[in-house]
Amino acid sequence: MAYIKFKELTKYFDFKVEVGFDNLTDYAKEYISNKEKFILAYKNSKDFVVFTDKRIILFDRDPMAALYKKIHIIPYYSISSSAINYKPGKVELLLSLDSGYQMHINFIDMNHDKKENIKAVYKIMMTANI
C-alpha cells in the first residue's frame, strides 16, 4: 500500500483594501517589533498582510473554522527569489523562500498610485539585506 504525503506547494493571497497602522487589530500590532518600522498593510474579507522594513507578516484566517488562524512571518532575508508582475488593475508579488515554499500575494483593484505603493514596498524588500 502506498501513501502520498500532501504538501501545499504554493499559497495564494488576494488583497484589496489598504489599511493604516491605526486600523490594524491589536493582535496584529503585537507582531510588529519596536525595532522595525511599519510600511503598509492590506486586507481582504478574512486575511491581512503587514509589511515592515524587515519582514512580511501574513494573517491567514479560515472562515470555516472560526478559531483557526495561521500567521506567516517572512523575514526579507529568507526570500531567495522574487518577482513583481504588473497587470491592468492588479499587482502580483511572487516569492520563493529559502525553504522551497512559494507564496503569491496578489493586490487587486489597483490604480497607478496604489501600484506605486506596492513598488516602493518591493524595493524595500529587495534591498533589505544588501
Side-chain angles (χ1 to χ4, degrees):
M1 192 180 312
Y3 293 95
I4 297 174
K5 184 177 179 184
F6 172 75
K7 180 181 178 188
E8 186 174 32
L9 298 177
T10 305
K11 185 71 177 175
Y12 291 86
F13 294 93
D14 292 324
F15 296 101
K16 184 176 181 179
V17 179
E18 188 173 339
V19 179
F21 183 79
D22 295 336
N23 294 329
L24 285 178
T25 61
D26 289 337
Y27 72 86
K29 290 178 183 177
E30 291 176 10
Y31 286 90
I32 300 173
S33 166
N34 292 335
K35 297 177 182 177
E36 58 190 338
K37 179 182 164 194
F38 171 85
I39 299 172
L40 189 64
Y42 271 85
K43 71 176 187 170
N44 62 23
S45 60
K46 63 180 186 71
D47 304 324
F48 60 96
V49 62
V50 176
F51 293 94
T52 72
D53 61 338
K54 298 182 189 290
R55 59 195 177 148
I56 300 169
I57 307 167
L58 274 158
F59 297 86
D60 182 10
R61 294 183 290 174
D62 186 351
M64 302 305 275
L67 300 177
Y68 173 80
K69 185 185 326 169
K70 188 174 188 180
I71 301 168
H72 303 270
I73 298 177
I74 304 161
Y76 295 146
Y77 65 79
S78 71
I79 299 172
S80 57
S81 68
S82 67
I84 187 167
N85 293 334
Y86 296 100
K87 296 180 178 180
K90 184 176 184 178
V91 177
E92 299 174 333
L93 288 180
L94 312 171
L95 308 174
S96 295
L97 307 180
D98 290 342
S99 64
Y101 193 71
Q102 296 183 355
M103 198 169 277
H104 292 201
I105 304 174
N106 303 315
F107 302 91
I108 55 177
D109 291 342
M110 295 274 111
N111 61 24
H112 176 73
D113 293 337
K114 291 180 182 179
K115 286 182 178 183
E116 288 297 315
N117 290 344
I118 301 299
K119 180 180 174 182
V121 169
Y122 183 72
K123 286 180 179 180
I124 291 169
M125 290 169 53
M126 295 303 105
T127 58
N129 295 305
I130 293 178

